[in-house]
Amino acid sequence: MQTAQVFSFHGGIHPEENKTQSLQLPLGKPSLPKELILPLSQHIGQASVPLVAIGDQVLKGAPIAANNGLLSSHLHAPTSGTITAIESRPIAHPSGLSDLCIVLQPDGKETWTELKPLPNWQQLDATEVISHLADMGIVGMGGAGFPTQVKLQGAHKKPLSHFIINAAECEPYITSDDTLIREKTRELVLGIELFQHLVQAEQVTIGIEDNKPTAIAALNKTLTECNSKIQLVVVPTKYPSGGERQLIQLLTGQEVPSGQYPADIGILCQNVGTCVAGYEAVYLGKPLISRITTLTGKALNAPQNVDVLLGTPVAHLLAYADLQEKQLNRLIIGGPMMGYTLDSAAVPIVKTTNCILAANKKELPAPAPEQACIRCGMCEQACPASLLPQQLLWFSKSQELEKAEHYNLFDCIECGACSYVCPSSIPLVQYYRHTKSSIRDAREAAVKSDLAKQRFEARKARQDAEAAEKEAKRLARQQASASKAVQTKKTAPATKTTEKSALNASNSEAAPQINDTTKKLKVDVAIGKSKLKKLQKQLVEAQEDERLEDISALQLHVSEQEKALVELETELAKAVKANPTKKPSDTPDNSVEKAKAPANDALKKAKIDAAIAKAAVKKVEKALKKAEELQAPEVDAIRQQLADAKKRADELEKVLDNPSPSTPPTEQKPAVSAAQLDLASQVKKEKIAVALAKAKINKLNKRLASSPEDAETVSKDIEAAQQQLVQAESLLATLIESQHNSQETS
Amino acid sequence: MSTSEETAVNLDTDDTAQDNQPSANYADIIYNGIWKNNPALVQLLGLCPMLAVTSTVVNALGLGLATLVVLVGSNIAVSLIRNYVADAVRLPAFVMIIASFTTCIELIMQAYTYELYQILGIFIPLIVTNCAILGRADAFASRNPVLPSALDGFMMGLGFMAILVALGAMRELIGQGTLFSDMQLLLGEAAIHWKWVVFDDYPNVLFVVLPPGAFIGLGLLIAGKNFLDEREKQRIAAQKAKDGPSNSKRVRVTGQVS
Amino acid sequence: MFTVLLAIGILVVLSLIFGGILGYAKVRFHVEGDPIVDQIDALLPQTQCGQCGHPGCRPYAEAISNGEAINHCPPGGQATIQALADLLDVEAIPLDGDHGTETAQRVAVIREDECIGCTKCIQACPVDAILGAAKQMHTVIADECTGCDLCVEPCPVDCIDMVDVGITAKNWSWDKPQGVAAQSLNIIATDRSTEVSQ
Amino acid sequence: MALLRITSPHTQRAGRRTSWVMQMVIYATLPGIIVQTWLFGWGTVINLAIAGVAALLSEAAILAMRRRPIRFFLQDYSALLTAVLLGIALPPTVPWWVTVTAVSFAIVFAKQIYGGLGNNPFNPAMVGYAIVLVSFPVPMSQWLGVSSVVASGEMLSFSQSLQAIFHQLPVIDSYTMATPLDGFKHKELLDSQSAFETLPALQAASIDSWLWVNLAYLMGGLALLWLRIITWHTPAALLGALLVMSGLFYVFDTSNAASPFFHLTTGAAMFGAFFIATDPVSSCTSNRGKLIYGAGIGILIYIIRTWGGYPDGVAFGVLLMNFAAPLIDYYTQPRTYGHKKAKTGLKIGGDH
């Protein structure tokens, strides 16, 4: 064993270790539970996507969920059996909430799927091995569950100076890593060498706390046997030396800069469990389907470490370790310092579950009531991140988020050392967690409100542009119709000929010069329009990409362009207006084209209006029914209005019926459009009437609710109203039909 | 002075609105002056003389009366000339008026209550710089007719004096164990026996007699007022909650709904 | 006579110097525009819901800078009022119930089988968060929706629901601890729920 | 299964509660109290009893007004600690109403008005002390002398002490004597040497008695250090600064200044260094901050003793540095893990 310098970090505490209890018994192997629950989100990042359906038969080790994006992981069947459900189940999460899980019913046969080891991994490219690890669903087994392939790839950012294997396991009670090292020493060393091969670090170091003599001896023995270059560094027992950043400081003396990852300073850290899982994945081809978990606490008669399949419910394990139900007071996943409590024992073991602590009342008593902070500074002495916990508490209490951030709240690793030493029993970590999430929420809200603001402003800009365009069009149309009036008097048959060539010919003969100018203007307008469109497109893109500086510049451009366009259009209109008689052919052309467009528009509108009218009538109907049920006193008025509406609908129907069959497809378009415009206005009117009726019914209902005693007197009226409503309904149905007809014909 | 008139008034927009109305409600003026907008407790105006001279009731009463007279006089005068003063020279003109009234008061006190005049010393001429007076002249008298202005001046002065006397009584009682000592300085020989020794053999509590005590005393008075206001507010809120919310004041951002 | 002239002269020189300093300060520390409106606008939730009685958040920000009460924004709730109070250095007042009540974050959801494709909600949405074409089914982009519920009223077939954004394991967070003595009378400032800063 | 759901950590260091801290500080004053009683009679003990009752009553009254759980807050012993510190600091025969005023003012105005334990910017005991010192200068200057030096030649008996405190002892003057600091302050035109030779307050018996008192408090303070209830920073900086200041002036002006030893062993030097300045609530938090804070108090003590209006300056020194504590805190934040430099001040987001 080479001796290496051990540095130290600020603060830290020495809680009671409580590690011996779970080391009395050998590694246990619980039986198969009745069902395995496999949450789709066992790791940091997006949840996996299920690959199986309910009822599918799966073999042990077969993939059942695939990774979903870069920061995600695969999931494999821990045993062979049937998928019985994919549903929301309570998961191991501090909130006690449920999440989507795949439920697997074991068939007890434990039939393995075909295993694909990589025996020639030394010859393969590192990326291939890494992708194999990803396929085997390997994630960091220390706590956070960071997908290993992402971490290994990240380690290539910079040449690695240190590859650190975290075997410190500083939390009280937990002995799963200790057991793992003892049981699978050789596998661990091979796994480390595998990872070292992948990352090519200058120095490989195992950091282990001095309270695991057996594991240290086993490791030393194996390392000398293998003649390995791996360095074993024993660090003094102190919580939280197993924290990634603290262990790095202990072993290298370097600090990971705030907000960065160890890879940014050329250091990679892996948990021992991850190394063993990597070994199994590459040498044996076994995916990550089981792990070693500590079952401990005074509520258990047989505390021990178990090799357990992922998805095993905690209750099953507690039964295995002989739980005394009455003793159980707090059930914790993880250790007493950073673990979280469980509401129920139905939650499953996941890839990161290293300990289940079933504590009785005496062992982990209820926290004493919070007292005032007396700023004694003990938390500051204990903080491994050199923060000022009492100051952070003050800002957290008063929700001064900016100040809390300024005091480096986000460098807090939530290790709980401050809460542990606090003489006033203040739940400091909970304050910090709350404040951190408040800050994150506030940031998200700020992003969202910025987005909303941008979109609102973009919408306003667009609407203004549209309004300007419409106004310009309206002006143009006005002038066009004026000229048309003049023109129709003079050359009535000209309207029939819609062919452009003829018109253009006459046009060019009549007023070639003026035509030129108008043409030019038209071209300008067209160019301007296309430019505007381009700019608007760019603007939308910029908004989507959130390029703020571009947006404002583009918006300026757009508005300028709009202005220019409007000017051009007015100029064009002027030009047209100036020569209404001299270029008769030009204007009818325009007018026809323009008339077509509104006709189509009107028709569309009419259709929509009809649909709305239909819905509105339905609404009225509903309301009337309600009113009827409630015996509303104001049915008279409604009836009156319904009658009106009926009348209008009648008219509407006529209008729709008459023109539509008699309209020849192209030549009589103006007439059609006129009829349809009429129809549209009718429908609008009716709609308004219906809306009014709706409002009145609402009022009616309210009044009825307040004075039910007048109800009887109007029951007859309501009946009548009902009849009329039915009539109105049928009328409206015909109306809609006719509208459909008109649509088809036009 | 701690707070300028402007911010003090702006704290409550309702007040400015009321102040600016030419035909202010007389009841409102009285309520504003005595309680709601009390110059000493709410606007914290004229702190300097208030903290310095309120060691006994008689001192407080003397200065309070002087301020009251100046305030009424200046408000009337300012209101009279309010339509004839250009905006640019408004404040200097007001200060001139106030200074004249203060000089009158100073001379009167010198003539009739010489001892008190000597005790109050510099704080009588300093009435000129009392923000409460200039503040009322500018915020109220320059925008209102004579009668409301006079009433406002009187009520503000009364409110100021009431707090002065309360503070003086507090400090005299706790600091010296007496009340109304030396009242003859202000009210003549008739008041010579008014002195009421509340506690015999009382050791002078120097801290309360000295200006720092005035800070704590004033703080307690402000706290008391806030406490009462808070209770009133809660009562009103409870009343309002009972009545239920009024109609929605929402506008549609995106046009009309047909 | 000379002393009088000297005094006048000194005063003139002093006034020139101070005038110069003031003039320089005005140029040097000149503030562009009216940034307070921007600052207020940045604190408002930008739901553009109009519940404050103004057409959009910015108009309300302008109104606040002109002296309107800060408690007219139900979507922002007490947090926004507190932030505005801090910014403007005024007292935080409770939300004005006349303008609505503070609700949890919501999004609009269109019951798509009932949608008739009228596009009315699209026109009503202040942030263009509704997708769809005429006679086609519409849908709400949940990420863009501010929960202003302006689309609910125009819908002719009432197929839009405002749905609370639920708590999932991803966005769940710890509650704030109750602190020392949760129940107490508000006699002093630090007893209040939002404790004052140092 | 009704399981408790709370945030981590789920375990706590056993025993070291706030009330335990307060109790330990109270116990640490015991050697000093015993020596003071031994040297100056029963007055201190009676004062302590009065102060304790007054503190608990006023704390309970305010808590009741604030509708806070009275029992819970009284059990943190903080009010009692304030009372003990005040009872020690006040002269042994000071009339009872002075003690009551000081204690109730300390509890009501200096502590509860600011929000109770943990929120007071000033050391409550020293606020109470300063108030009575300013208000009642005469009784506050009557310290008893050691029996061998005072005119009567004997100590006050227990009943005489009671009489002095609750009524009046006509012959009290024959028991009182100026403290060494008082005596040195009023040496008028004498130079140091002759002052130490002639003035009764500066005789060996008187100076030794104060030496014993200070040694006793030093012992208590060391116990607190050993228990890790206080850190060495504040007391060391305070005493160090006092030592340096008095040493400097003693070297340059031997004839008019007193020796550093005199300054460190008379008055409330040790008591202030270990029990008053280390009050965590009103002092600085970081270790560097505590050094600056303690040094500031030490310098102020020397300045007030030498040039100020009062013989001792511990109370005012502590109060003045209480003012400065937040400022010092802002500029002495420790460097956080992963940051190149420690942050200073409160620059937030460019502050618009």
Side-chain angles (χ1 to χ4, degrees):
Chain A
M1 181 178 118
Q2 296 153 286
T3 48
Q5 192 192 353
V6 176
F7 300 82
S8 78
F9 63 89
H10 178 264
I13 52 170
H14 299 275
E16 219 178 310
E17 284 172 25
N18 279 316
K19 296 216 182 210
T20 48
Q21 300 94 307
S22 53
L23 291 171
Q24 307 296 327
L25 292 172
L27 182 65
K29 194 101 179 77
S31 60
L32 272 177
K34 265 183 250 159
E35 59 176 19
L36 294 169
I37 305 153
L38 298 146
L40 287 171
S41 198
Q42 304 201 1
H43 46 79
I44 276 186
Q46 299 95 321
S48 314
V49 199
L51 293 173
V52 289
I54 296 170
D56 284 3
Q57 296 285 330
V58 291
L59 293 177
K60 185 168 184 168
I64 53 171
N67 68 356
N68 174 22
L70 190 68
L71 200 65
S72 185
S73 182
H74 290 273
L75 191 59
H76 301 80
T79 183
S80 57
T82 319
I83 307 291
T84 52
I86 300 176
E87 61 186 16
S88 218
R89 291 284 184 100
I91 55 159
H93 191 270
S95 63
L97 289 168
S98 301
D99 203 0
L100 207 58
C101 300
I102 297 177
V103 183
L104 173 66
Q105 191 175 24
D107 56 10
K109 292 177 196 152
E110 303 257 18
T111 330
W112 275 96
T113 183
E114 191 193 345
L115 298 182
K116 291 177 203 145
L118 284 182
N120 57 339
W121 57 270
Q122 263 146 329
Q123 279 83 53
L124 289 177
D125 194 41
T127 47
E128 255 176 87
V129 182
I130 289 175
S131 81
H132 178 74
L133 289 176
D135 286 341
M136 294 292 113
I138 314 288
V139 301
M141 289 165 77
F146 200 83
T148 301
Q149 74 274 15
V150 184
K151 206 168 180 178
L152 290 175
Q153 270 157 0
H156 287 123
K157 267 197 282 193
K158 241 183 162 183
L160 282 191
S161 59
H162 294 270
F163 173 35
I164 292 170
I165 290 89
N166 188 346
E169 199 170 44
C170 56
E171 273 236 26
Y173 286 98
I174 307 180
T175 53
S176 62
D177 285 354
D178 192 0
T179 312
L180 183 84
I181 299 169
R182 292 187 201 183
E183 298 279 330
K184 301 187 176 175
T185 323
R186 211 183 150 69
E187 288 91 328
L188 173 62
V189 172
L190 289 174
I192 294 169
E193 275 167 357
L194 164 76
F195 280 180
Q196 160 67 1
H197 171 75
L198 296 178
V199 298
Q200 299 293 341
E202 283 167 33
Q203 205 177 3
V204 188
T205 319
I206 303 175
I208 188 164
E209 272 190 344
D210 58 9
N211 59 359
K212 304 177 188 61
T214 325
I216 294 168
L219 262 178
N220 266 329
K221 193 172 151 235
T222 317
L223 288 178
T224 34
E225 272 171 17
C226 297
N227 202 9
S228 172
K229 279 187 189 160
I230 300 168
Q231 204 179 27
L232 182 67
V233 179
V234 180
V235 299
T237 301
K238 174 161 108 172
Y239 179 84
S241 57
E244 189 176 61
R245 283 157 195 252
Q246 277 61 44
L247 189 65
I248 288 170
Q249 196 177 12
L250 276 175
L251 299 183
T252 69
Q254 284 176 282
E255 288 182 11
V256 182
S258 169
Q260 294 187 359
Y261 294 103
D264 294 318
I265 54 166
I267 294 174
L268 174 71
C269 220
Q270 287 288 2
N271 180 265
V272 283
T274 321
C275 295
V276 173
Y279 161 83
E280 288 184 344
V282 171
Y283 281 81
L284 309 176
K286 281 189 189 172
L288 180 54
I289 55 166
S290 70
R291 66 158 297 140
I292 291 179
T293 297
T294 307
L295 307 176
T296 186
K298 292 218 169 105
L300 298 179
N301 278 341
Q304 59 184 298
N305 279 283
V306 286
D307 194 353
V308 58
L309 293 180
L310 301 182
T312 310
V314 168
H316 183 74
L317 295 177
L318 291 180
Y320 176 76
D322 198 2
L323 171 77
Q324 298 164 277
E325 282 276 0
K326 277 186 190 160
Q327 288 270 304
L328 183 62
N329 179 52
R330 225 186 296 190
L331 189 58
I332 296 167
I333 286 245
M337 296 304 298
M338 289 188 75
Y340 47 87
T341 47
L342 291 182
D343 279 345
S344 88
V347 306
I349 298 287
V350 295
K351 290 175 181 175
T352 53
T353 314
N354 52 6
C355 179
I356 291 162
L357 175 55
N360 67 13
K361 220 169 199 167
K362 226 173 150 190
E363 196 174 13
L364 297 181
E370 179 180 340
Q371 284 178 296
C373 169
I374 55 167
R375 311 199 334 146
C376 63
M378 289 184 196
C379 46
E380 192 200 333
Q381 310 293 335
C383 180
S386 307
L387 293 165
L388 285 172
Q390 75 278 52
Q391 215 64 33
L392 290 173
L393 167 73
W394 185 277
F395 298 138
S396 299
K397 268 189 169 175
S398 54
Q399 287 289 292
E400 288 169 278
L401 305 183
E402 281 182 333
K403 284 187 189 165
E405 240 186 301
H406 180 77
Y407 273 68
N408 303 322
L409 176 63
F410 279 96
D411 287 306
C412 169
I413 56 169
E414 301 176 14
C415 66
C418 48
S419 300
Y420 178 79
V421 297
C422 180
S424 291
S425 302
I426 302 170
L428 290 157
V429 177
Q430 189 172 348
Y431 276 109
Y432 304 152
R433 285 184 173 150
H434 172 78
T435 308
K436 278 182 180 180
S437 55
S438 306
I439 292 174
R440 284 195 205 105
D441 289 351
R443 278 185 193 157
E444 272 169 34
V447 168
K448 197 165 178 192
S449 81
D450 273 357
L451 185 72
K453 195 174 160 188
Q454 276 172 28
R455 291 179 73 91
F456 181 63
E457 275 161 14
R459 180 178 189 274
K460 251 184 11 199
R462 193 190 68 226
Q463 278 179 331
D464 290 348
E466 276 171 5
E469 205 175 344
K470 253 188 205 163
E471 181 63 18
K473 268 189 187 163
R474 194 186 61 79
L475 270 175
R477 219 173 17 242
Q478 227 172 28
Q479 277 133 22
S481 62
S483 59
K484 191 182 101 185
V486 177
Q487 175 261 337
T488 37
K489 270 184 194 169
K490 281 193 172 177
T491 54
T495 43
K496 276 183 186 171
T497 55
T498 48
E499 275 138 272
K500 266 189 181 174
S501 55
L503 286 169
N504 279 347
S506 65
N507 187 21
S508 57
E509 273 171 47
Q513 264 193 323
I514 295 152
N515 204 13
D516 272 352
T517 52
T518 46
K519 248 188 193 167
K520 219 182 180 182
L521 277 172
K522 266 187 193 170
V523 170
D524 281 353
V525 169
I527 290 170
K529 266 187 190 169
S530 69
K531 256 191 198 169
L532 182 64
K533 258 188 194 166
K534 240 190 209 170
L535 278 172
Q536 275 170 339
K537 213 178 177 185
Q538 274 178 338
L539 180 62
V540 169
E541 274 170 12
Q543 274 161 352
E544 275 165 4
D545 297 344
E546 294 177 40
R547 297 184 308 233
L548 280 174
E549 59 282 42
D550 287 9
I551 289 172
S552 49
L554 278 172
Q555 271 173 343
L556 214 72
H557 277 302
V558 168
S559 54
E560 271 173 19
Q561 193 62 36
E562 278 164 8
K563 253 189 220 162
L565 195 62
V566 171
E567 271 170 29
L568 275 173
E569 273 175 337
T570 45
E571 224 172 300
L572 176 66
K574 264 184 205 163
V576 174
K577 200 180 175 184
N579 321 283
T581 45
K582 280 183 185 173
K583 44 186 200 82
S585 51
D586 191 32
T587 38
D589 175 23
N590 273 350
S591 75
V592 170
E593 273 182 11
K594 274 186 184 147
K596 261 189 209 166
N600 281 338
D601 279 354
L603 199 63
K604 262 185 203 165
K605 256 189 202 162
K607 284 180 205 167
I608 293 163
D609 287 348
I612 290 167
K614 191 168 116 189
V617 166
K618 263 189 196 166
K619 257 191 194 176
V620 174
E621 192 188 342
K622 248 190 212 170
L624 254 177
K625 257 187 199 166
K626 246 188 214 166
E628 196 191 331
E629 276 164 24
L630 297 167
Q631 300 189 320
E634 269 200 20
V635 179
D636 268 22
I638 302 167
R639 205 198 312 162
Q640 184 62 43
Q641 269 176 340
L642 260 171
D644 285 354
K646 208 183 2 170
K647 240 189 216 167
R648 278 199 203 112
D650 265 339
E651 286 169 7
L652 202 63
E653 199 183 5
K654 272 178 199 164
V655 171
L656 253 172
D657 275 335
N658 293 337
S660 36
S662 62
T663 323
T666 43
E667 287 186 2
Q668 288 196 357
K669 267 238 162 121
V672 174
S673 75
Q676 273 166 345
L677 276 171
D678 209 27
L679 171 75
S681 69
Q682 292 279 12
V683 172
K684 225 180 215 171
K685 265 186 200 165
E686 198 217 11
K687 205 170 62 189
I688 290 164
V690 169
L692 275 171
K694 191 171 90 184
K696 278 218 171 155
I697 286 166
N698 276 346
K699 248 191 217 166
L700 205 70
N701 283 344
K702 267 183 206 164
R703 249 188 234 178
L704 184 69
S706 60
S707 57
E709 58 275 357
D710 327 334
E712 277 181 35
T713 55
V714 286
S715 57
K716 276 182 193 174
D717 294 348
I718 289 164
E719 267 172 45
Q722 196 184 357
Q723 273 181 1
Q724 284 188 326
L725 187 72
V726 173
Q727 285 174 358
E729 208 182 335
S730 62
L731 267 171
L732 257 161
T734 50
L735 171 73
I736 290 149
E737 226 169 80
S738 65
Q739 272 176 329
H740 275 294
N741 289 341
S742 75
Q743 269 165 238
E744 278 156 27
T745 48
S746 56
Chain B
M1 293 300 132
S2 65
T3 321
S4 77
E5 165 70 8
E6 202 175 4
T7 50
V9 171
N10 274 352
L11 279 178
D12 197 335
T13 44
D14 294 349
D15 290 348
T16 26
Q18 280 170 3
D19 285 356
N20 292 345
Q21 275 164 17
S23 57
N25 189 345
Y26 289 117
D28 274 352
I29 293 176
I30 295 171
Y31 179 56
N32 260 334
I34 300 285
W35 186 259
K36 189 182 172 198
N37 226 355
N38 187 299
L41 285 189
V42 178
Q43 305 180 43
L44 296 182
L45 296 175
L47 274 186
C48 170
M50 180 157 62
L51 298 177
V53 303
T54 53
S55 52
T56 60
V57 173
V58 67
N59 291 357
L61 195 62
L63 191 84
L65 277 176
T67 313
L68 174 70
V69 172
V70 174
L71 195 45
V72 174
S74 74
N75 260 19
I76 293 174
V78 167
S79 177
L80 280 172
I81 61 158
R82 71 182 187 279
N83 295 327
Y84 310 104
V85 188
D87 229 27
V89 295
R90 194 177 82 238
L91 289 181
F94 294 170
V95 173
M96 287 301 293
I97 291 169
I98 296 166
S100 330
F101 277 104
T102 308
T103 314
C104 296
I105 282 292
E106 194 185 355
L107 291 173
I108 290 169
M109 287 185 82
Q110 206 171 352
Y112 294 102
T113 60
Y114 186 66
E115 273 178 88
L116 189 65
Y117 165 79
Q118 284 200 313
I119 291 171
L120 294 180
I122 184 68
F123 292 104
I124 300 174
L126 274 180
I127 292 175
V128 180
T129 61
N130 190 329
C131 312
I133 298 170
L134 188 61
R136 290 329 286 173
D138 190 42
F140 195 92
S142 66
R143 295 161 198 183
N144 287 287
V146 178
L147 209 54
S149 294
L151 183 66
D152 178 73
F154 184 70
M155 284 305 155
M156 285 285 166
L158 210 59
F160 188 69
M161 192 173 80
I163 300 306
L164 240 62
V165 171
L167 197 55
M170 241 169 92
R171 288 176 64 190
E172 189 179 340
L173 184 66
I174 300 174
Q176 304 169 11
T178 63
L179 274 179
F180 312 117
S181 59
D182 296 334
M183 287 302 268
Q184 73 276 11
L185 298 182
L186 184 66
L187 303 175
E189 293 303 314
I192 202 160
H193 300 297
W194 285 21
K195 178 172 175 177
W196 176 26
V197 181
V198 184
F199 308 111
D200 291 320
D201 272 349
Y202 192 76
N204 283 0
V205 183
L206 237 58
F207 177 74
V208 182
V209 177
L210 295 173
F215 275 104
I216 290 182
L218 183 65
L220 289 176
L221 287 176
I222 293 173
K225 178 182 185 292
N226 286 350
F227 178 69
L228 293 176
D229 281 350
E230 189 79 15
R231 259 203 345 205
E232 178 71 5
K233 227 198 258 171
Q234 276 172 3
R235 197 182 59 77
I236 291 171
Q239 186 70 37
K240 202 176 171 190
K242 224 187 267 173
D243 296 346
S246 63
N247 289 333
S248 171
K249 290 176 180 164
R250 187 165 188 176
V251 299
R252 287 205 70 88
V253 179
T254 51
Q256 291 301 309
V257 190
S258 50
Chain C
M1 191 61 208
F2 175 71
T3 36
V4 173
L5 284 178
L6 185 71
I8 291 172
I10 289 173
L11 280 178
V12 166
V13 171
L14 276 178
S15 64
L16 282 177
I17 292 171
F18 287 127
I21 293 174
L22 282 176
Y24 173 73
K26 185 183 185 322
V27 178
R28 175 73 181 72
F29 303 110
H30 182 62
V31 183
E32 276 300 337
D34 185 13
I36 191 73
V37 174
D38 291 331
Q39 287 174 36
I40 297 170
D41 196 28
L43 292 177
L44 294 174
Q46 303 296 337
T47 48
Q48 320 290 355
C49 64
Q51 288 182 69
C52 52
H54 297 276
C57 292
R58 182 142 191 114
Y60 181 43
E62 277 156 14
I64 289 176
S65 73
N66 289 329
E68 191 169 315
I70 58 173
N71 61 347
H72 293 172
C73 180
Q78 209 57 42
T80 296
I81 292 172
Q82 187 65 49
L84 287 171
D86 290 346
L87 173 68
L88 303 172
D89 203 15
V90 295
E91 200 187 343
I93 40 180
L95 185 69
D96 187 346
D98 292 352
H99 289 269
T101 47
E102 190 176 353
T103 55
Q105 171 74 42
R106 298 182 302 173
V107 290
V109 173
I110 295 178
R111 289 196 301 277
E112 291 171 348
D113 49 341
E114 288 174 40
C115 175
I116 56 165
C118 68
T119 74
K120 284 204 178 281
C121 55
I122 296 180
Q123 289 158 34
C125 180
V127 293
D128 285 339
I130 304 181
L131 269 182
K135 295 201 53 111
Q136 306 292 319
M137 173 264 282
H138 303 338
T139 193
V140 177
I141 312 169
D143 283 349
E144 311 280 358
C145 177
T146 63
C148 69
D149 79 18
L150 282 171
C151 52
V152 174
E153 205 185 333
C155 180
V157 292
D158 273 349
C159 71
I160 304 182
D161 295 317
M162 296 308 294
V163 179
D164 282 357
V165 178
I167 292 172
T168 64
K170 293 263 182 219
N171 65 7
W172 175 87
S173 67
W174 283 98
D175 291 337
K176 187 175 169 186
Q178 288 209 309
V180 186
Q183 73 300 343
S184 60
L185 197 65
N186 291 341
I187 284 187
I188 60 168
T190 44
D191 283 350
R192 303 201 176 154
S193 54
T194 49
E195 291 195 356
V196 290
S197 59
Q198 275 182 321
Chain D
M1 201 166 14
L3 294 170
L4 194 62
R5 190 150 74 81
I6 50 165
T7 188
S8 64
H10 304 280
T11 172
Q12 276 244 309
R13 183 157 61 179
R16 297 178 74 106
R17 301 269 298 155
T18 298
S19 47
W20 176 84
V21 171
M22 298 287 172
Q23 277 171 304
M24 284 303 124
V25 178
I26 292 173
Y27 291 145
T29 59
L30 280 178
I33 293 172
I34 291 167
V35 172
Q36 237 170 292
T37 312
W38 179 261
L39 290 168
F40 304 117
W42 292 102
T44 308
V45 178
I46 300 168
N47 270 351
L48 283 171
I50 298 169
V53 172
L56 292 178
L57 284 182
S58 45
E59 177 110 333
I62 292 280
L63 286 172
M65 271 174 75
R66 292 173 68 193
R67 303 218 184 125
R68 298 202 152 198
I70 295 171
R71 234 183 126 77
F72 177 75
F73 280 101
L74 285 187
Q75 275 172 349
D76 64 22
Y77 289 93
S78 61
L80 210 55
L81 176 59
T82 303
V84 167
L85 297 180
L86 260 172
I88 291 167
L90 294 174
T93 53
V94 78
W96 64 272
W97 44 265
V98 173
T99 314
V100 170
T101 309
V103 171
S104 50
F105 195 90
I107 298 288
V108 176
F109 282 89
K111 185 176 160 195
Q112 289 291 349
I113 287 248
Y114 286 101
L117 178 63
N119 293 310
N120 44 306
F122 304 110
N123 188 323
M126 288 304 104
V127 172
Y129 183 82
I131 291 295
V132 288
L133 186 62
V134 170
S135 297
F136 315 111
V138 178
M140 286 299 288
S141 62
Q142 285 182 331
W143 259 94
L144 293 177
V146 256
S147 48
S148 57
V149 190
V150 292
S152 63
E154 57 187 20
M155 253 168 42
L156 277 174
S157 69
F158 185 74
S159 59
Q160 275 176 314
S161 299
L162 274 181
Q163 201 192 345
I165 287 169
F166 286 101
H167 282 290
Q168 211 173 11
L169 199 61
V171 290
I172 188 78
D173 282 349
S174 63
Y175 293 93
T176 61
M177 195 181 78
T179 62
L181 279 173
D182 219 355
F184 191 78
K185 174 140 218 118
H186 296 115
K187 69 185 167 63
E188 309 293 336
L189 295 169
L190 297 171
D191 61 19
S192 298
Q193 183 136 22
S194 46
F196 276 99
E197 278 162 8
T198 54
L199 290 177
L202 296 174
Q203 294 313 298
S206 170
I207 288 180
D208 284 352
S209 66
W210 282 95
L211 174 65
W212 281 114
V213 170
N214 273 286
L215 282 178
Y217 285 119
L218 174 64
M219 235 178 73
L222 291 178
L224 289 182
L225 267 178
W226 180 73
L227 284 170
R228 295 212 191 165
I229 285 171
I230 59 174
T231 60
W232 58 269
H233 303 84
T234 312
L238 192 157
L239 297 174
L242 188 56
L243 183 78
V244 168
M245 283 292 281
S246 50
L248 268 180
F249 281 94
Y250 190 62
V251 168
F252 285 115
D253 189 8
T254 317
S255 57
N256 278 317
S259 71
F261 184 75
F262 175 79
H263 273 289
L264 288 179
T265 57
T266 53
M270 293 296 168
F271 177 64
F274 287 98
F275 291 91
I276 303 296
T278 53
D279 165 40
V281 178
S282 54
S283 75
C284 290
T285 52
S286 68
N287 290 344
R288 268 197 308 153
K290 280 177 191 161
L291 287 175
I292 298 172
Y293 173 80
I297 296 175
I299 293 168
L300 280 171
I301 289 177
Y302 187 82
I303 289 172
I304 295 169
R305 279 182 180 180
T306 314
W307 299 289
Y310 292 97
D312 204 351
V314 173
F316 292 105
V318 168
L319 289 177
L320 284 173
M321 286 313 285
N322 285 165
F323 272 110
L327 184 76
I328 298 171
D329 271 346
Y330 287 149
Y331 290 97
T332 55
Q333 295 176 38
R335 184 186 66 85
T336 307
Y337 178 98
H339 288 262
K340 285 212 178 83
K341 260 170 49 184
K343 288 186 181 174
T344 52
L346 263 183
K347 296 167 208 121
I348 288 166
D351 211 9
H352 306 300

